[in-house]
Amino acid sequence: MIKIQGLYKSFGDLEVLKGIDNEIKQKEIVCVIGPSGSGKSTFLRCINLLEEVTAGEIFIDGIKVNDEKTDINDIRTEVGMVFQQFNLFPHMRVLENITLAPKKIRKMNPKDADELARQLLEKVGLSDKAKAYPEQLSGGQQQRVAIARALAMKPKIMLFDEPTSALDPEMVKEVLDVMKQLALEGMTMVVVTHEMGFAREMGDRVLFLDQGLLVEEGKPDQLFNHPKHERTKAFLSKVL
Amino acid sequence: MISIDFLDIRLDVIWSYRELFVRGIGVTLALTLIGYIGGFLIGLLVALAKISKKKWIRIPAKYYVDFFRGTPLLVQILIIHVAVIPTIFGHSLGPFVSGIVALILNSAAYNAEIIRAGIQSIEKGQMEAARSLGMPSGVAMRTIILPQAFRRMVPPLGNELIALLKDSSLVMVIAVNDLLYAGKVVAGASFRTWEPYLTIAFLYLILTFIFSKIITYVEKRFSNSYVPSSRRRIFSFGRSKGVDSE
Ligand SMILES: Nc1ncnc2c1ncn2[C@@H]1O[C@H](COP(=O)(O)OP(=O)(O)OP(=O)(O)O)[C@@H](O)[C@H]1O
Ligand SMILES: [Mg+2]
């Protein structure tokens, strides 16, 4: 579903991703772990071209993403993204946050969009918050709305960039639960996370990134319990 | 009639020229409001040009702003009236048109900087969230960035309005019949100095007072919080996000 070949990315002189190859299959849950600054976010952001790719190729459903001829907005409607800082639109109510893109981009009529939004809010357990403004919600609630907002475009793939890192501990679970539900429904997901518990339980595969390189990958059990590389061992000994 | 001995102020002189003053107020208000609205719209375009990724759009916008902010408005008024407009149209379009054009172009340069700063003060994540949903950048700018940015621009844009009201008096130099011009005419006709000029000073003061009241009202309407019932008063840039936002 996502095919990444020789992905290379630099910011000026700073090489952040130094040649990454990977293929993510439909319905696969891939967790990306690694130390701070290793390039996890950049990797994720290259997939939907929030960062311009310096070299290499990314294909989604066989379509080359980083191609002049590809309409990147079309690709992005198929790839939902959830950010660490939620990034809800503060000037809109929860319902409008969710319906805006379906109405503007998918040209969905307002009634259907509202109906869809209400279904999604129910799914993330926030049916009573449709009329609230983001600032009236807790962090965990905001993040769940952000997930609903991304799902409203009916994406085939969801990207999560440390979705629980900005949350107080007691709110982490409510967000992870929504993500688990999504995973069980068969969504293809790439999740950058520090939640090793989530990676272990839900991940089909875990990628360990360090200094811009994909150092090691494997099934969670294999990578967490029997890491092959020294760098993986060193990282895991710090976070587990 | 009313007369005050000290300085021998004679308000009856003013009263007999009241129509001139009223017309002056009208012209000054027209200059200010047309200049401001035009300056805002052009300023918005210039601001968008200044943050454009394309160099050939960005650079001219930068020179435009540098020129109009870096030279005296009085000089701009004269250049536009005696050189630019006659050159383009072959003849003068009258002092009022020249004055308006100068005020629009000048305030556009100042507004552009305010608008640009306002746009750039919005967290990058807002644009990224919008783009990640598949919105083209124009749609994201209109529906996500500008509505948030304008709230933050209200105070500096308000200051700009008041500055423009006062600066509009400079068009008197090309004989636009604004409020200052009325004062000058009355002074010449009545052989009085104190009364006409004090009168127009007082009238300008009333106008700026009314404007600042309106601005304060708008500022309150668009204060920090988006929640209609619980608008907080303190104006702050950089809204705190996340768990500590409440
Ligand atoms: N827009 C940018 N301009 C310049 N350098 C950048 C930019 N974005 C990221 N970097 C740099 O690229 C490197 C990788 O950043 P990235 O955000 O991908 O790391 P990360 O693995 O997500 O880290 P963290 O766990 O802290 O989120 C860092 O050194 C960072 O400073
Ligand atoms: Mg990151």
Side-chain angles (χ1 to χ4, degrees):
Chain A
M1 183 149 226
I2 310 177
K3 199 163 155 197
I4 297 152
Q5 287 178 334
L7 173 59
Y8 179 92
K9 168 71 186 174
S10 62
F11 292 105
D13 288 341
L14 182 70
E15 296 181 303
V16 177
L17 298 176
K18 303 166 189 164
I20 291 185
D21 299 287
N22 216 270
E23 193 164 346
I24 293 157
K25 294 194 198 67
Q26 196 168 0
K27 301 196 178 184
E28 206 179 12
I29 313 297
V30 174
C31 293
V32 183
I33 61 170
S36 182
S38 56
K40 305 182 296 294
S41 297
T42 308
F43 171 70
L44 206 63
R45 293 158 58 83
C46 282
I47 295 177
N48 67 350
L49 240 59
L50 279 186
E51 299 293 353
E52 217 176 297
V53 172
T54 311
E57 293 175 316
I58 297 173
F59 297 90
I60 292 180
D61 274 345
I63 299 167
K64 188 173 170 188
V65 174
N66 55 328
D67 190 300
E68 299 257 304
K69 288 177 222 108
T70 308
D71 182 353
I72 187 57
N73 291 324
D74 283 348
I75 300 278
R76 285 178 179 147
T77 59
E78 309 291 336
V79 183
M81 187 160 201
V82 175
F83 301 84
Q84 184 174 350
Q85 296 298 336
F86 330 133
N87 296 340
L88 291 182
F89 307 133
H91 57 305
M92 295 178 176
R93 293 174 194 273
V94 163
L95 198 78
E96 298 168 296
N97 262 275
I98 300 172
T99 56
L100 179 71
K103 283 193 289 198
K104 288 259 178 219
I105 312 302
R106 293 253 193 255
K107 309 288 176 212
M108 194 183 270
N109 78 51
K111 246 185 158 174
D112 293 348
D114 279 4
E115 180 53 34
L116 172 67
R118 287 187 197 283
Q119 283 170 14
L120 289 168
L121 280 175
E122 195 178 328
K123 182 175 181 150
V124 300
L126 292 171
S127 296
D128 53 332
K129 298 294 184 191
K131 289 258 179 305
Y133 281 89
E135 69 185 274
Q136 295 172 300
L137 303 180
S138 72
Q141 292 171 332
Q142 290 193 46
Q143 192 62 299
R144 285 186 279 153
V145 172
I147 293 173
R149 178 178 67 180
L151 291 177
M153 292 302 282
K154 305 221 163 86
K156 295 183 195 147
I157 300 164
M158 285 284 284
L159 309 176
F160 292 84
D161 191 358
E162 301 198 31
T164 58
S165 295
L167 298 178
D168 286 343
E170 72 268 20
M171 294 170 186
V172 170
K173 186 172 176 299
E174 64 190 54
V175 172
L176 290 182
D177 284 347
V178 169
M179 291 169 61
K180 281 178 195 170
Q181 190 194 341
L182 207 55
L184 293 175
E185 287 168 10
M187 178 63 79
T188 308
M189 291 164 56
V190 185
V191 186
V192 173
T193 187
H194 290 303
E195 296 292 331
M196 297 304 155
F198 179 87
R200 233 184 241 275
E201 185 187 343
M202 299 307 297
D204 294 312
R205 203 146 51 90
V206 179
L207 313 184
F208 173 64
L209 244 61
D210 192 18
Q211 295 177 13
L213 289 170
L214 178 51
V215 175
E216 185 168 354
E217 65 169 302
K219 292 211 177 305
D221 172 59
Q222 178 200 328
L223 192 119
F224 285 118
N225 299 329
H226 314 287
K228 292 196 200 88
H229 288 260
E230 284 309 317
R231 283 202 254 167
T232 320
K233 285 177 194 165
F235 173 73
L236 289 174
S237 72
K238 274 184 230 148
V239 298
L240 288 181
Chain B
M1 291 299 271
I2 318 154
S3 69
I4 300 167
D5 282 333
F6 177 63
L7 285 181
D8 189 26
I9 298 269
R10 290 186 50 202
L11 292 180
D12 56 324
V13 175
I14 302 306
W15 187 246
S16 59
Y17 287 105
R18 61 191 175 277
E19 274 169 28
L20 268 180
F21 289 110
V22 170
R23 195 183 58 196
I25 290 175
V27 171
T28 287
L29 281 178
L31 285 168
T32 306
L33 295 179
I34 299 173
Y36 192 73
I37 292 167
F40 178 81
L41 295 175
I42 295 178
L44 178 59
L45 294 180
V46 175
L48 292 173
K50 271 199 92 170
I51 56 176
S52 166
K53 287 205 183 84
K54 298 188 186 90
K55 224 175 169 178
W56 59 273
I57 296 180
R58 202 172 60 230
I59 301 290
K62 179 183 154 26
Y63 284 133
Y64 173 86
V65 171
D66 287 351
F67 176 80
F68 279 94
R69 299 208 321 165
T71 55
L73 175 54
L74 200 51
V75 175
Q76 295 161 19
I77 292 168
L78 284 170
I79 291 177
I80 286 167
H81 184 59
V82 303
V84 177
I85 288 188
T87 305
I88 295 176
F89 295 95
H91 54 87
S92 167
L93 300 177
F96 184 79
V97 171
S98 300
I100 279 282
V101 169
L103 291 176
I104 288 176
L105 294 179
N106 182 270
S107 85
Y110 283 92
N111 285 335
E113 278 305 280
I114 293 169
I115 296 168
R116 181 194 57 74
I119 290 171
Q120 290 181 333
S121 78
I122 303 298
E123 298 70 22
K124 263 179 68 192
Q126 290 291 310
M127 184 52 113
E128 290 182 349
R131 299 305 308 272
S132 79
L133 289 164
M135 286 186 213
S137 59
V139 175
M141 183 58 81
R142 264 201 322 278
T143 59
I144 306 299
I145 307 299
L146 288 179
Q148 295 182 59
F150 280 133
R151 291 182 161 254
R152 298 186 185 179
M153 294 173 207
V154 168
L157 285 176
N159 293 342
E160 211 36 57
L161 176 61
I162 294 193
L164 185 65
L165 171 67
K166 292 184 285 182
D167 288 349
S168 71
S169 62
L170 290 172
V171 298
M172 189 206 70
V173 75
I174 53 172
V176 179
N177 54 350
D178 74 334
L179 186 52
L180 176 57
Y181 187 82
K184 204 178 168 233
V185 169
V186 173
S190 65
F191 303 105
R192 308 287 306 177
T193 46
W194 277 94
E195 294 88 344
Y197 289 117
L198 274 183
T199 302
I200 60 163
F202 182 66
L203 291 173
Y204 273 115
L205 200 58
I206 290 176
L207 291 180
T208 52
F209 179 78
I210 294 170
F211 277 32
S212 62
K213 280 287 164 212
I214 296 170
I215 291 162
T216 308
Y217 172 77
V218 176
E219 266 175 41
K220 277 201 189 124
R221 281 288 320 258
F222 291 98
S223 62
N224 194 26
S225 173
Y226 290 99
V227 184
S229 57
S230 70
R231 291 215 160 102
R232 278 164 267 152
R233 279 178 162 224
I234 301 151
F235 189 84
S236 86
F237 287 83
R239 302 160 57 75
S240 64
K241 282 269 181 66
V243 284
D244 53 7
S245 70
E246 325 189 307

